[in-house]
Each structure stands twice: as C-alpha cells, then as structure tokens.
Amino acid sequence: MTFRQLAFNNVLRNKRTYAAYFLSSAFSVMVFFVYAMFMYHPQIEQTALRGLVVEAMRVAEGIIYVFSFFFILYSVGAFFKSRKREFGVLMMHGMSQGQLNRMVFLENMLIGLASMVTGIGAGMISSKLILLIGVRVLNMDQLPFYMPVRAILLTAVSFSLLFLVISLFTAFFVRGSRLIELLQGSVKPKKEPKASVILSLLSAVLIVSAYYLSVTTTEYTIGIRLIPVVLMVIVGTYFFFTQLSVFSIRLLKRNRQFFWKQTNLVTLSDLAYRMKDNARIFFLVTMVSTVAFCAVGTLASTAFLEQQAKDNSPFAFNYIVETSKLGTVTIPGEIEDGLKNANVPFDKVRADTKSQTSVQTGNRVTLVKESDFNRIAAKLGYPQEKLNGREARFIPPSLYSAKEFDEYNKEVTFKESDITVFATGRVEKSVLPSYVLGGNILLVSDRVFAQITRPIEAETFIGYNVVDWKKTEKLGEALTNKEPIPDTHEYFSSFAYQVMMMKQASGAMLFIGVLVGAVFFIAAGSFLYFRLYTDLEHDQRQYQAISKIGLTEKELNQIVTRQLLLLFFVPIVMAMIHSGFAFVALQSVIYYPIAIHTITVLACFLIAQVMYFLLIRARYLRHVKAVIS
C-alpha cells in the first residue's frame, strides 16, 4: 500500500467522523459559488442595482471565506484530538514526524478537493433552480442560464488556497505532541468540574441587564446601547456555559432526593463534565446561531417595505418644480401621454408650496395651504383638516417620525414675513409625499399662506393618483432615467419604480442573508456533531460498563435523549432568546409589526434543528447499542 493509499483509506475509515465536516465545507463552497455566479451574471450587470448587489455579494463571500477558514481550522483541531491514539500507534510502528505531517496534509487536501468538487458540482446542478429563485427574490424579469466560468475559477482558486493553508497549519497540531500523549488520546482522568459563584452571578446579571436594555430601548437610544448590549450578551453567554451551567448542575446534585431518582445520577454526573468540556462549543454555537437568526429575521422583516412606501407616498407619480418654471417643463405632459397611451385611468392633483425660515430654529420650513391639502384629501378619501386663525399642523416626513408630533405644540415665527403661527400636533393622515417636499413642513390656513409675499422659494407639486399603479413601472423607469432640463430644479419620482428598486434591494439582501445564515446554522450543527463523535468511543465504554450492572435499553434511551437534548437545544434556545430580545429592540425603530416575521424565522430554524436532532440521536444510539450488544 502506497503512502497516498494510506491517506485515502484513513479518510474512508473515518468517514463517519468526517461526514459533517465534509458536508459543511461543501455547502460553504456551494454558497460561495452561487454568490459568484450571481455576481458575474450578465443580466445582473445590466440592472440599476448592479453596484449594490455585487458589493453585497462580495461582502457575503468575504464573510463566508473568513468563517470557513476558522471553521475548517477548528474542525481539523477537533479531528486531531479524536485521532491521537491512531497517530500514536503509527509513530510507535516507525512513522516519523515528517511522514505523519505529510499524511495529515494529504488527508486534509483530499477532503478539501472533494468538498470543492462537490460544492461546485452541486451549485452547477442546481444553478437553473437557483436562478429561478433569484428571479423571484430579486424581482427581475429573467435570469437565463449561462456557463459561469469566472465563478468556477474564483471558487476553485479561493478554496484551493484556503485548504492548502489549513493543511499546512495541521503540522502545528501534530508537532510537539509526545508519543505517550498520543497513545493516551482522550483517555485521561478528568478533574471534577468546578465553577465560580461570582462569575456565575456575573453571567446572570449581564444577560438580564442586556435583556432589560433591549426591552426599554427606543429609536433614540438604540445607537448608544447597541455595542454595550452586544458585549454584555457575549461575555454573559460565555460565563453562562463555562460557569453558571456547571454551578446549576452542582446545585441539582446536592438535592439528594432528585439526584438519586432513577437515572438522574448517571445523567447529572456525566452532564457536568459535558457542559465543562463543551462550554466553548456551546458558546460558539450560540453566538453563530444568534447572528444567523438576527440576520435572516431582520432581512425577512423588510416585507413591509411596499406598504410603508405606499403610506408615505399615495401617488403613482410625484413631480415638483419651481412655480415660475412650470411652463417650461415637459415631464407632466409625458406622464399624462404615457398613461393615456397605456389606457390607465388617473387623477391629477396640484398643490402650491412656499418656503420660509424659522426664527426659533433657523431651519427652512415648507408651507402648504389648507384648501390644497383638503382638496387632495377628498380625492384620496382621507380625513380633512380644519384650522382656526393662525393655527398650523405638522406634516411628518414619514410614518416613523409621525409619533414625534402627536402632542407637539410649538410657536413658529417666519423670518422673511414676520408672521407667527402656532403648530398644534400633526395632521391625522398626510396626503402629500412629505419626504419629497423635504425639511420641516407645516399646514397653514389659506389666509396665512396668502400673507407670505416674500417666500425663499415657491414650488408647485403635481401628483398622479393611479389605482393600478403597478402598470406604471416601465413609464416610471423611463422618466426617472431621463435627463432633467437645466436650471429647472425639478424633482420626479415614480412609486412603482421605487417599489421595484426597494424589492430588488431587499430581495438581494434577503437572498444573501438567508444563505449566509444557513452556512452559519449548518456550521453550528457541525460543531455539535464533532463534539458528539469525538466523545463517542468514551461514551461507548461508559454505557457498556453501566449496562453490565443492570442498565436497561429504555433507561439508556432516556439518558442519551436527555443529554443530547441539552447538547443540541440549550445553545439554540439561548440563541433564540437572544434573537427575540434583539428583535424587540429592532421593533422600536420600525413602524410596522415584525413579530410574525420573527416567529416564522425562528420556527423554521427550530424545525430544522429538531430534524437534525432526531437524525443524530438515531445514529448515535445505534452506535452505542452496537457496542453493548
């Protein structure tokens, strides 16, 4: 048998241990390839969002690449620990340190090559389906299949370098280990796990405090609290697994009535060691899963963007121009001709605005008169406003800022005209696209409006109300990309075109976030798999010994199920709780409810984890029972 055959056979003999590592690596390669395939797609390069989509996918590829490096590096370290005895036997039979390094290098390169071929192959096989999904998610007309040569080369070169570097790193894991240490492997007496009471309490305080800050955060404090809360959660979670969990188990063991009941003696005794040994893995799984949940949940919550845009802009087309230049512009005529040619019914509305400077703040204020506002409101079926004397109302720029003006009373004096009005709250429902008009906007009576004889600027707003606004997308795109007439200072926006752009942007972010989240989630499951099968030989010996003194198959199933439940679900449940409080904080800056999207995302991840748990539990029990029988 040649040296290469030895390395190949070692991989085949350890295929059970390497399975999760191989599949996770292949999935990472496939996702990297998918991003590259979209990045270099000719149709993507022609879209208006090309810069955003390509840049976002480059960032995602960078995240996956860096994460894959550390994931594979950790995996190799875990496999080395599980195979120490095997390496010791080989060295005892004459294998030199250099030969051992070379064998481990060949094994890792072999798995890396297989992962690359599998990942790129799976991406190519499913590329047509992925492109069809991309059409829906990115809100595009079509994404035809093409031969992604550049994507294949980028993926192959990138991961070849990654696996080469990782394989070279393996020499450091093997070097420096004495033969006696290798032969002992993991069969070493362990000290009883201990925990610090102070660090355990600190963990609880940090996590509870972070949750409290998340629940009480507002749109004004979220920026200040974000970094401290994240740091508190990270430190608190680390001490939760390394200290608080072990401390809690020791408290349970002191309760003799509970500890001596049925199989609790075996479960708790072994659980304390498992929690201590796996603390860092649990911490990594929790944090990686939290990032995945938050990323996917946040991006999924962008489903309300269309309704948000509709509430902020009730018109299919918005057009603003200086009043003095209205007779020289052509866009209003092109809008009307385009709608008539498409046989699309529409209503045209108009409102005049004047600008002044607030003495109190020095900011520019845009004024809208009551009659224009109410005429437009009547056409839209919205509530009208009634002003008395010098009373005024704020028109919020968006729904997000609307609540700021609910109980807001303010005296505003205009510098240019020396007129004072009293702003009492806000309009019940804005009928103007306030974000288009810009700045601070006040609704005033017709009488006050007429008294403004020296405005900074006088503008005319024209809006086109179209019931079937989705038919205006192409017209909106053509007019948006039209060169403006010089010196007119005109502004044009198309609601349908803006919604399409928002859907493409949010779809791209969601597409990227879901795949990155999936990579993180699968890696988290692989971490658990590594630990479980690293300890399998020790567990087999332990359960075999216990079975000789009367452990039944039913009791074995109970012990294994309880331990695996904790192993698989404590980190995931903790991550879901972290994510839940993160979404509570996010809700403080989002007008629309995101609870349903949050619950859906977390439920999908939980279902996937349950399926993974059932599969691993069945395989693990089969291996344990095979030794006992």
Side-chain angles (χ1 to χ4, degrees), residues 19 26 91 99 106 158 226 278 320 382 386 524 533 570 576 586 602 615 628:
M91 292 186 72
Q99 289 175 321
L106 288 173
S158 299
L226 180 61
N278 298 325
I320 296 177
Y382 290 173
K386 177 64 177 175
Y533 279 91
V570 167
M576 287 184 171
L586 178 65
L602 295 182
L615 174 66
I628 294 176

Side-chain angles (χ1 to χ4, degrees), residues 145-160:
F145 176 80
Y146 78 110
M147 190 61 187
V149 177
R150 285 194 292 174
I152 293 173
L153 289 175
L154 176 65
T155 306
V157 171
S158 299
F159 276 88
S160 294

Side-chain angles (χ1 to χ4, degrees), residues 24-85:
S24 299
S25 300
F27 185 76
S28 298
V29 172
M30 187 187 79
V31 173
F32 188 94
F33 169 75
V34 166
Y35 286 149
M37 182 175 65
F38 274 94
M39 263 173 41
Y40 296 126
H41 197 289
Q43 204 77 11
I44 294 286
E45 293 183 341
Q46 295 173 8
T47 63
L49 287 173
R50 177 188 176 279
L52 172 66
V53 172
V54 171
E55 194 60 36
M57 289 191 177
R58 279 178 181 161
V59 172
E61 285 199 322
I63 293 171
I64 290 176
Y65 195 72
V66 172
F67 180 79
S68 297
F69 176 83
F70 289 106
F71 166 73
I72 295 170
L73 188 64
Y74 170 81
S75 304
V76 171
F79 298 145
F80 171 72
K81 290 179 182 178
S82 66
R83 295 179 62 194
K84 273 187 174 182
R85 185 180 298 175

Side-chain angles (χ1 to χ4, degrees), residues 20-296:
Y21 166 57
F22 167 74
L23 292 174
S24 299
S25 300
F27 185 76
S28 298
V29 172
M30 187 187 79
V31 173
F32 188 94
F33 169 75
V34 166
Y35 286 149
M37 182 175 65
F38 274 94
M39 263 173 41
Y40 296 126
H41 197 289
Q43 204 77 11
I44 294 286
E45 293 183 341
Q46 295 173 8
T47 63
L49 287 173
R50 177 188 176 279
L52 172 66
V53 172
V54 171
E55 194 60 36
M57 289 191 177
R58 279 178 181 161
V59 172
E61 285 199 322
I63 293 171
I64 290 176
Y65 195 72
V66 172
F67 180 79
S68 297
F69 176 83
F70 289 106
F71 166 73
I72 295 170
L73 188 64
Y74 170 81
S75 304
V76 171
F79 298 145
F80 171 72
K81 290 179 182 178
S82 66
R83 295 179 62 194
K84 273 187 174 182
R85 185 180 298 175
E86 176 188 338
F87 294 155
V89 171
L90 290 172
M91 292 186 72
M92 189 174 65
H93 283 81
M95 180 176 279
S96 67
Q97 183 72 55
Q99 289 175 321
L100 181 60
N101 292 343
R102 183 184 167 200
M103 183 188 75
V104 175
F105 175 84
L106 288 173
E107 289 178 10
N108 280 287
M109 286 303 295
L110 183 63
I111 297 173
L113 180 61
S115 300
M116 283 195 301
V117 172
T118 303
I120 295 174
M124 286 293 297
I125 292 171
S126 58
S127 59
K128 184 61 179 176
L129 175 62
I130 293 171
L131 289 172
L132 288 173
I133 295 172
V135 169
R136 296 292 301 274
V137 174
L138 298 176
N139 196 40
M140 299 181 68
D141 293 332
Q142 61 175 348
L143 283 174
F145 176 80
Y146 78 110
M147 190 61 187
V149 177
R150 285 194 292 174
I152 293 173
L153 289 175
L154 176 65
T155 306
V157 171
S158 299
F159 276 88
S160 294
L161 289 173
L162 187 146
F163 282 111
L164 178 62
V165 172
I166 293 293
S167 299
L168 292 173
F169 261 98
T170 55
F172 292 99
F173 290 116
V174 181
R175 188 179 300 165
S177 298
R178 294 181 301 173
L179 179 60
I180 186 64
E181 292 176 349
L182 293 173
L183 289 173
Q184 283 180 336
S186 58
V187 186
K188 291 181 181 179
K190 298 179 180 179
K191 296 180 181 179
E192 184 180 0
K194 295 181 180 180
S196 166
V197 177
I198 295 175
L199 292 179
S200 299
L201 292 175
L202 177 62
S203 168
V205 169
L206 287 173
I207 292 175
V208 171
S209 300
Y211 289 168
Y212 173 77
L213 291 174
S214 298
V215 171
T216 58
T217 194
T218 65
E219 58 186 307
Y220 304 108
T221 60
I222 190 169
I224 301 172
R225 294 184 179 184
L226 180 61
I227 294 178
V229 167
V230 169
L231 292 176
M232 289 166 68
V233 168
I234 291 174
V235 175
T237 304
Y238 180 79
F239 286 136
F240 173 84
F241 288 116
T242 59
Q243 305 295 327
L244 184 57
S245 60
V246 178
F247 180 72
S248 301
I249 293 170
R250 293 189 68 182
L251 288 180
L252 288 174
K253 289 170 70 173
R254 291 178 184 176
N255 186 340
R256 295 303 179 92
Q257 186 177 358
F258 177 79
F259 184 52
W260 290 91
K261 185 179 180 181
Q262 297 179 352
T263 57
N264 288 348
L265 172 65
V266 178
T267 303
L268 289 177
S269 296
D270 193 43
L271 187 59
Y273 289 96
R274 283 186 180 271
M275 292 302 294
K276 194 70 175 180
D277 292 343
N278 298 325
R280 290 184 177 85
I281 295 299
F282 288 165
F283 169 71
L284 285 174
V285 170
T286 301
M287 300 318 300
V288 166
S289 300
T290 301
V291 171
F293 297 162
C294 289
V296 178

